[in-house]
């Protein structure tokens, strides 16, 4: 009693029945699935982080560490045994110290090279996972379109079955009225 009237699947039938329209429609659905897939976005963020790690452990690993140290010393009081300087030597009460340190992390237990190689391997793994995820999305969209086509065909067959059952009922009713059944 009008079960199929509430579904608007005729537009999809037009897209899926015509082979010229089907493949562009499927490609559009795949592109939308890839655009909106959270797992692909997460993989892209991980790839970006890996690229930053590669830059950090790559050419930037020879970036020197520079330290600047400054100190001001003020003596407020000198008293007690041994606090006075020998004759002729004058100890200053206020003085400054300054220092600079420059170091290159060339030999740090090969840790930088290991981190760089680890980041390269991780990037390759993430690229493979991204490709696998894209292929899985492609397969899921194609399977869904195939399932939709199957369901639409089943609905059409159900409509035909309904019409055939109505005709059979009408024929049987007519035969019953005529006394043949």
């Amino acid at each position: 009693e009008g079960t199929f009237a509430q579904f608007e699947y005729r537009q999809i039938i037009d897209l899926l029945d015509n082979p010229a329209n089907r493949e562009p429609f499927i490609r559009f659905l795949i592109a939308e699935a890839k655009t909106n897939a959270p797992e692909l976005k997460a993989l892209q963020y991980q790839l970006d982080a890996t690229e930053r790690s590669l830059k950090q452990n790559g050419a930037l690993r020879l970036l020197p560490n520079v330290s600047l140290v400054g100190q001001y010393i003020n003596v407020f009081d000198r008293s007690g045994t041994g606090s006075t300087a020998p004759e002729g030597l004058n100890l200053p009460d206020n003085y400054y110290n300054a220092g600079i340190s420059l170091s290159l992390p060339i030999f740090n237990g090969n840790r930088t090279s290991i981190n760089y190689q680890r980041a390269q391997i991780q990037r390759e793994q993430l690229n493979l996972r991204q490709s696998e995820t894209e292929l899985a999305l492609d397969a899921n969209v194609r399977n869904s379109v195939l399932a939709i086509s199957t369901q639409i065909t089943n609905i059409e067959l159900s409509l035909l079955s309904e019409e055939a059952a109505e005709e059979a009922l009408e024929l049987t009713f007519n035969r019953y009225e005529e006394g043949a059944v």
Side-chain angles (χ1 to χ4, degrees), residues 6-7 16 23 30 34-35 41 63 73 75 82 88 90 104-105 112 118 120 122 141 144 158 167 173 176-177:
Q6 64 184 345
F7 299 112
L16 297 179
E23 193 56 36
I30 290 171
K34 288 179 181 178
T35 301
K41 290 178 183 177
L63 192 65
I73 298 175
V75 177
N90 188 9
L104 288 173
T112 306
R118 183 180 297 144
Q120 282 181 323
Q122 187 177 11
V141 168
S144 296
S158 297
E167 287 178 15
F173 188 70
Y176 178 75
E177 282 182 345

Side-chain angles (χ1 to χ4, degrees), residues 2 20-21 27 30 32 35-36 40 42-43 48-49 51 67 82 87 101 106 112 115 120 136 140 148 153 157-158 181:
N21 292 339
R27 282 196 305 266
I30 290 171
E32 286 298 311
T35 301
N36 296 319
L40 284 178
L43 285 172
D48 293 343
E51 290 297 328
S67 302
E87 300 260 343
S101 170
I106 296 174
T112 306
N115 289 341
Q120 282 181 323
N140 287 340
I148 288 172
T153 304
L157 287 175
S158 297
V181 177

